[in-house]
Amino acid sequence: MRKPLQSKIKKTLIALLISCSFAANSQDLTNNLKLWSGISASYKINHNLSAKISQLLAYNTSPSSYSFSQTKLSLSYKLKRRTYIEGGYVKGLFNDSNSLRDQGASSSWFNKVAVDRIYGSFSYKHSIAKRLSLKHKIEFQYFFADLDKYKTRSIYSARLGYNVRNSSLTPFIEGQFYNYSGGIISSGIKRFRFKSGLSFKLVKDSSMGVSIYHILQNEFKTENLSENDYSVFGLSLSFKIK
């Protein structure tokens, strides 16, 4: 790929990310199509330890309105090749509502309310066949607000990815199962997400990665509370700082 074309694609993707960010007017229980844009950066402290920061912005498409934003700070430690543990803090900003305030959400920036959580995760990636890999991840989340649906969530995800020969292209599919507990509904698996997408680098050996994806979410067995089903088209950029 010629350099002028590479530069043009890079500028287009960055412009799309910025436009997604500023078109937004967290999560607000609307069952419609959402657009997500994200950016993240990681800094390698030493051979095994990395610090990460990421920002996600989401908005509804019809009608166009702010959905939520999410800021994450974390540390990741490599136990051995392809095996990691991670922990961190997440602040979610949602549209102000009496419902969220009644559940313990607090006032925050930009006339929004905040729902904070901490999390810990373990992930392991292994090869199935040549250029075909499977990544397992288990994450536990604790929320400081007493949300109706859960006080804690645990998530198991499995991602199948194929690295295209002689390229950075990796198409992938991923399934996620969410277990709720501590809310006013019964505990158990209450949400499933199916994610498909493509990750790649615009420039070979660069520090910037790009991921384009689609998510289908189905929530079930929430008893007297509404189920939150929606689909997502998303774009994320990631950077490694050495």
Side-chain angles (χ1 to χ4, degrees), residues 9-23 35-38 59 210 212 234-237:
I9 294 175
K10 182 178 178 180
K11 290 178 180 178
T12 300
L13 287 172
I14 293 175
L16 177 60
L17 176 67
I18 294 172
S19 66
C20 287
S21 300
F22 287 95
L35 296 181
W36 290 5
S37 58
Y59 66 94
V210 181
I212 301 171
L235 166 70
S236 65
L237 302 179

Side-chain angles (χ1 to χ4, degrees), residues 1-58:
M1 186 180 290
R2 292 174 296 178
K3 289 186 177 180
L5 181 58
Q6 292 174 344
S7 177
K8 184 176 181 180
I9 294 175
K10 182 178 178 180
K11 290 178 180 178
T12 300
L13 287 172
I14 293 175
L16 177 60
L17 176 67
I18 294 172
S19 66
C20 287
S21 300
F22 287 95
N25 259 342
S26 291
Q27 198 156 323
D28 58 357
L29 300 180
T30 57
N31 296 332
N32 56 13
L33 175 65
K34 301 181 187 295
L35 296 181
W36 290 5
S37 58
I39 187 167
S40 65
S42 64
Y43 174 72
K44 195 169 185 178
I45 299 173
N46 58 38
H47 182 68
N48 294 321
L49 183 65
S50 296
K52 299 181 179 180
I53 181 172
S54 62
Q55 179 68 46
L56 174 68
L57 292 173

Side-chain angles (χ1 to χ4, degrees), residues 5-225:
L5 181 58
Q6 292 174 344
S7 177
K8 184 176 181 180
I9 294 175
K10 182 178 178 180
K11 290 178 180 178
T12 300
L13 287 172
I14 293 175
L16 177 60
L17 176 67
I18 294 172
S19 66
C20 287
S21 300
F22 287 95
N25 259 342
S26 291
Q27 198 156 323
D28 58 357
L29 300 180
T30 57
N31 296 332
N32 56 13
L33 175 65
K34 301 181 187 295
L35 296 181
W36 290 5
S37 58
I39 187 167
S40 65
S42 64
Y43 174 72
K44 195 169 185 178
I45 299 173
N46 58 38
H47 182 68
N48 294 321
L49 183 65
S50 296
K52 299 181 179 180
I53 181 172
S54 62
Q55 179 68 46
L56 174 68
L57 292 173
Y59 66 94
N60 305 310
T61 60
S62 181
S64 181
S65 61
Y66 177 88
S67 181
F68 72 96
S69 68
Q70 183 172 282
T71 305
K72 179 187 291 187
L73 302 171
S74 63
L75 289 174
S76 176
Y77 185 80
K78 183 172 71 173
L79 296 174
K80 60 180 182 178
R81 186 172 180 265
R82 296 184 171 186
T83 305
Y84 293 85
I85 56 173
E86 183 173 310
Y89 163 78
V90 180
K91 176 180 284 292
L93 294 182
F94 298 79
N95 290 313
D96 198 351
S97 70
N98 290 331
S99 175
L100 280 175
R101 287 188 179 275
D102 290 343
Q103 295 175 70
S106 58
S107 298
S108 190
W109 315 317
F110 314 118
N111 296 318
K112 305 300 179 184
V113 292
V115 176
D116 300 324
R117 71 176 186 258
I118 56 174
Y119 76 95
S121 68
F122 170 84
S123 64
Y124 170 66
K125 183 178 179 181
H126 63 94
S127 297
I128 297 178
K130 191 174 182 180
R131 295 190 296 278
L132 183 67
S133 64
L134 179 62
K135 181 180 180 180
H136 306 270
K137 184 177 180 180
I138 299 174
E139 180 168 315
F140 177 81
Q141 302 175 343
Y142 176 86
F143 290 77
F144 293 101
D146 294 320
L147 300 178
D148 288 342
K149 287 183 178 178
Y150 44 76
K151 178 69 174 182
T152 64
R153 290 192 309 193
S154 53
I155 306 166
Y156 169 73
S157 61
R159 174 181 291 206
L160 186 66
Y162 179 79
N163 180 234
V164 178
R165 186 176 182 180
N166 297 325
S167 76
S168 65
L169 293 174
T170 304
F172 62 85
I173 55 173
E174 179 176 351
Q176 297 180 331
F177 295 88
Y178 286 68
N179 185 83
Y180 296 175
S181 61
I184 64 175
I185 62 176
S186 60
S187 299
I189 296 176
K190 303 289 185 176
R191 177 190 291 186
F192 174 73
R193 277 184 181 176
F194 178 77
K195 183 176 183 180
S196 59
L198 178 68
S199 62
F200 57 94
K201 290 185 177 181
L202 290 179
V203 181
K204 184 179 180 181
D205 300 325
S206 72
S207 62
M208 185 180 76
V210 181
S211 181
I212 301 171
Y213 57 88
H214 177 249
I215 294 174
L216 287 173
Q217 172 168 298
N218 177 233
E219 194 174 50
F220 44 86
K221 297 182 179 179
T222 58
E223 299 158 15
N224 59 318
L225 299 180

